[in-house]
């Protein structure tokens, strides 16, 4: 435990490409970094039983999710000697084509950044108390399962 | 004694509530039993349990002020 | 061979974060995509024998590089059923903290996007006729080796 | 007969040129031999050879108009 303050990862609604571009731009001062790996989750226009996905509405057990992410952050940063690690997940409604997940790892060399990013994606999908409700174009909805 | 139960996702729909309060409940097994009595549909639900934001895997004694969370399968990202 | 026209991958100087943000934004119409994986190479302020890296100057055998990338593109897109694949590499001078490589893969699901992105990074580093000349803060320079 | 030789990276420095023209050269072995005669420092260089943008691994016959590229170890990205 490095004791850094708990960071919020939740963003209301979609994550904007401008926000992502700005985040990348700010890393030009991180001159120890030689490699950045980014994962973006985007709402896919899936077709299921003749319905088409229009959006996903996310909810979370926020306090628990932030505690879990914080523990995972510290483990992953040390394990891969990361320069930095940023995680953002949407809450509320995110429409088809919009971004709901943004993971950004930086390290001196590519292997650490790429491996860490992949591990964080798996963690977020499997371990984080977040739920997605899929909303179809006919307004019918059902709970997503990963 | 006061126990807060937070309910998420499809379970919140099933129980028509996202938060419940319990007065007399000694452990998580008893809590689940009381919930099943009150909400028969809850019997067939799939969920994990967290006490004070930590996942538990077996029956766990509850103390005054504990928060129990009922967590259906995660589907973030 | 799908016979698509050969795309240029080379960009003069650094790749700007705004360009990357714009590229991400344009993918909101790619509604078959559910996952994007991005790799960015950034010039690291390395210290070597008491000198500090100030920039890297890239040159390439452009015609050959574009032919090779085109062949690789077609193989990777089919192998991972990608929705799309974009590759950009700087030519000329790129300073410390600036971005010299931008790889962007999109697929319906995360595994394909992540695996493809990693494979393209390795290919670019090992197979592409591109050369970097490291320029130190004392104006001394030497050729980079991967 | 005309063969264009393109030279890149550290090799272009070594040969003080990024492009050379050869008139009489039948294959890549002979070309390398002529280059070594002309540029003694070239003997100790590490490089791969491409003919018309395709990597070759052994001696290759050259034809009028061929472009030979001498490629030091790649260091992109």
């Amino acid at each position: 435990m490095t004791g850094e303050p708990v960071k919020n990862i939740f963003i209301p609604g979609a994550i904007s490409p401008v926000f992502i571009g700005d985040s990348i731009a700010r890393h030009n001062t991180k001159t120890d970094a030689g490699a950045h790996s980014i994962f973006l989750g985007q709402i896919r226009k899936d077709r299921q039983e003749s319905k088409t996905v229009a959006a996903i509405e996310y909810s979370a057990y926020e306090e628990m999710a932030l505690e879990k992410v914080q523990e995972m952050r510290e483990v992953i940063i040390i394990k891969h000697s990361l320069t930095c690690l940023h995680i953002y997940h949407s809450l509320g409604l995110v429409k088809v084509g919009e971004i709901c997940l943004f993971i950004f790892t930086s390290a001196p060399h590519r292997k650490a950044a790429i491996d860490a990013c992949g591990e964080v994606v798996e963690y977020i999908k499997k371990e984080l108390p977040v739920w997605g409700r899929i909303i179809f174009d006919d307004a019918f909805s059902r709970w997503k399962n990963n | 004694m006061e126990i807060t139960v937070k309910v998420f996702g499809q379970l919140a729909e099933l129980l028509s509530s996202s938060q419940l309060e319990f007065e007399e409940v000694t452990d998580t097994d008893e809590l689940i039993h009381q919930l099943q009595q009150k909400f028969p549909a809850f019997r067939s639900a799939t969920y994990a349990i967290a006490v004070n934001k930590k996942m538990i895997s077996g029956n766990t004694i509850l103390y005054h002020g504990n928060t129990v969370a009922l967590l259906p399968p995660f589907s973030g990202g």
Side-chain angles (χ1 to χ4, degrees), chain A, chain B:
Chain A
M1 303 287 281
T2 64
E4 48 172 345
V6 174
K7 288 185 183 174
N8 191 13
I9 66 162
F10 292 111
I11 286 186
I15 299 165
S16 91
V18 171
F19 176 83
I20 297 164
D22 286 349
S23 180
I24 294 167
R26 276 194 302 276
H27 283 71
N28 73 339
T29 60
K30 303 271 184 178
T31 53
D32 288 344
H36 305 298
S37 186
I38 293 173
F39 180 84
L40 303 173
Q42 180 170 301
I43 308 300
R44 195 175 60 249
K45 196 173 190 170
D46 231 7
R47 281 157 195 88
Q48 299 176 355
E49 300 154 29
S50 84
K51 294 172 194 297
T52 302
V53 172
I56 295 181
E57 188 173 25
Y58 290 101
S59 56
Y61 184 6
E62 293 185 54
E63 304 92 310
M64 182 174 167
L66 296 182
E67 260 190 35
K68 291 195 78 169
V69 163
Q70 186 72 1
E71 286 171 22
M72 179 270 289
R73 269 182 66 78
E74 291 172 1
V75 170
I76 292 274
I77 287 173
I78 290 166
K79 177 179 174 190
H80 296 285
S81 299
L82 296 185
T83 310
C84 48
L85 166 57
H86 304 282
I87 300 166
Y88 301 98
H89 195 298
S90 293
L91 284 186
L93 204 71
V94 186
K95 287 177 280 193
V96 157
E98 292 183 331
I99 292 164
C100 59
L101 175 61
F102 170 28
I103 296 164
F104 188 171
T105 58
S106 305
H109 298 280
R110 65 187 182 278
K111 190 176 183 316
I114 291 171
D115 289 353
C117 191
E119 288 175 25
V120 173
V121 174
E122 293 310 308
Y123 186 92
I124 297 291
K125 294 255 180 185
K126 289 175 187 156
E127 304 292 335
L128 219 59
V130 174
W131 298 274
R133 192 185 173 80
I134 301 172
I135 296 165
F136 293 92
D137 53 357
D138 61 358
F140 176 88
S141 73
R142 68 162 187 76
W143 292 91
K144 179 171 178 275
N145 45 53
N146 274 14
Chain B
M1 182 176 186
E2 217 167 87
I3 302 293
T4 300
V5 178
K6 286 176 179 280
V7 191
F8 296 91
Q10 44 272 60
L11 280 182
E13 283 188 349
L14 203 66
L15 273 53
S16 302
S17 179
S18 61
Q19 190 163 323
L20 302 161
E21 305 293 334
F22 283 76
E23 297 281 320
E24 293 306 322
V25 57
T26 57
D27 55 34
T28 50
D29 277 2
E30 197 192 321
L31 175 69
I32 297 305
H33 182 72
Q34 291 192 21
L35 281 164
Q36 288 176 342
Q37 297 294 110
K38 204 168 166 189
F39 305 98
F42 183 63
R43 284 169 206 273
S44 58
T46 304
Y47 53 87
I49 303 173
V51 175
N52 288 354
K53 298 181 269 176
K54 301 292 177 199
M55 301 294 267
I56 59 159
S57 52
N59 187 28
T60 299
I61 295 173
L62 295 173
Y63 299 97
H64 173 74
N66 277 179
T67 298
V68 178
L70 303 177
L71 311 169
F74 306 149
S75 56

